[in-house]
Amino acid sequence: MSTQTIAPEKKTVAKGKPKWLRVKLPTGKKYTELRNLVDRYDLHTICTSGSCPNMGECWSEGTATFMILGNICTRSCGFCGVKTGRPETVDWDEPEKVARSIKLMKIKHAVITSVDRDDLKDMGSIIWGETVKAIRRMNPETTLETLIPDFQGNERNIDRIVEVLPEVVSHNMETVKRLTREVRIQAKYDRSLAVLKYLKDQGVNRTKSGIMLGLGETENEVIETLHDLKNAKVDIVTIGQYLQPSKKHLPVQQFITPDQFKKYETIGLDLGFKHVESSALVRSSYKAQKHIN
């Protein structure tokens, strides 16, 4: 298989979204029911706050993503629309609130994520564990994916996730090694790989990671990242198009074509990943309910 390098110029900025990034407005009975519940009870999901293009599809299939530990992050990644600053005090009632939201929405598969909380001694890992426990108590039929931060590689904090046995544990690489310092300022490529490998070594059933394309990476670098993830024993990979949240964030340098996304999917499957979701509109939790098997 060819590994021809696709290398846009470093300072290129892509102009205008291509037609394959257009999405239909979400519709359907299940979507409408969940939308009404979210509005009525002021429930918080990444799906709505992040204006995810796949919200209608995921909600119709009974999947939603919830963010815990507030909405202010201690890190300032160049791609992320979440506010950076001094986070608020931890809400110890949050696990029960999230569990009740999932029950109200009758969610079949929940994805839980969070901001980074480098300000806390446990980096938020205790709330993480308590949230999963609360969801299990109130929603015993609901399956779970935890999309976790790196917890600065602290194994005791990571163990708190392992101990509550989510069906899937995910941690995103976000980009290729060369661009990590620019894209994920306080993160480290090798540390993220080490977290993923540690999770698998500790017995996590399914591990998962995701990357964004269009930030200036080359094809060879994407393939190298896929090899690195495979060596870290990752089971599932998501690959999507980066879109600039605001003018303050990193610009899109290239819109990746559907054919190129398909090529990465084929490469990933040939490497032996159990699932590879690869297309422009793919986000971390896209088709997440499939990934428990």
Side-chain angles (χ1 to χ4, degrees), residues 34-216:
L34 291 181
R35 178 81 255 188
N36 289 339
L37 276 171
V38 166
D39 292 343
R40 188 185 315 152
Y41 294 101
D42 193 26
L43 307 179
H44 299 288
T45 70
I46 286 293
C47 319
T48 51
S49 61
S51 302
C52 179
N54 306 308
M55 181 167 61
E57 181 180 354
C58 291
W59 282 16
S60 295
E61 294 175 352
T63 300
T65 301
F66 299 82
M67 186 167 74
I68 62 174
L69 288 162
N71 59 2
I72 300 175
C73 189
T74 54
R75 300 190 185 182
S76 52
C77 297
F79 69 91
C80 184
V82 175
K83 184 179 178 181
T84 301
R86 186 173 183 175
E88 297 176 357
T89 304
V90 170
D91 178 4
W92 291 100
D93 292 328
E94 187 171 46
E96 294 295 325
K97 292 177 182 177
V98 173
R100 282 198 300 271
S101 296
I102 290 169
K103 188 175 183 66
L104 276 170
M105 294 174 70
K106 299 178 182 178
I107 295 299
K108 297 176 184 176
H109 183 72
V111 181
I112 311 300
T113 189
S114 79
V115 293
D116 282 279
R117 292 299 302 260
D118 297 322
D119 59 312
L120 301 174
K121 186 175 181 180
D122 74 313
M123 298 171 204
S125 61
I126 294 175
I127 281 282
W128 264 102
E130 292 303 311
T131 300
V132 173
K133 291 175 186 176
I135 294 168
R136 295 285 197 216
R137 285 194 303 270
M138 207 174 294
N139 307 273
E141 301 301 316
T142 298
T143 53
L144 288 170
E145 174 182 329
T146 53
L147 173 54
I148 64 171
D150 62 18
F151 297 123
Q152 294 185 5
N154 183 291
E155 292 179 358
R156 180 66 195 103
N157 293 331
I158 300 168
D159 286 342
R160 292 191 175 104
I161 305 297
V162 176
E163 288 162 4
V164 292
L165 301 173
E167 279 76 11
V168 180
V169 183
S170 180
H171 172 65
N172 285 340
M173 301 298 296
E174 307 294 6
T175 190
V176 299
K177 188 170 188 175
R178 175 176 57 85
L179 297 176
T180 294
R181 182 172 292 182
E182 178 183 8
V183 175
R184 304 168 67 207
I185 297 169
Q186 294 102 321
K188 298 178 181 178
Y189 183 88
D190 290 335
R191 183 168 69 192
S192 286
L193 285 175
V195 168
L196 288 161
K197 186 175 185 301
Y198 180 79
L199 288 166
K200 199 65 180 176
D201 288 346
Q202 297 308 113
V204 171
N205 186 43
R206 288 282 186 276
T207 56
K208 177 177 171 182
S209 191
I211 57 174
M212 307 170 292
L213 304 185
L215 285 158

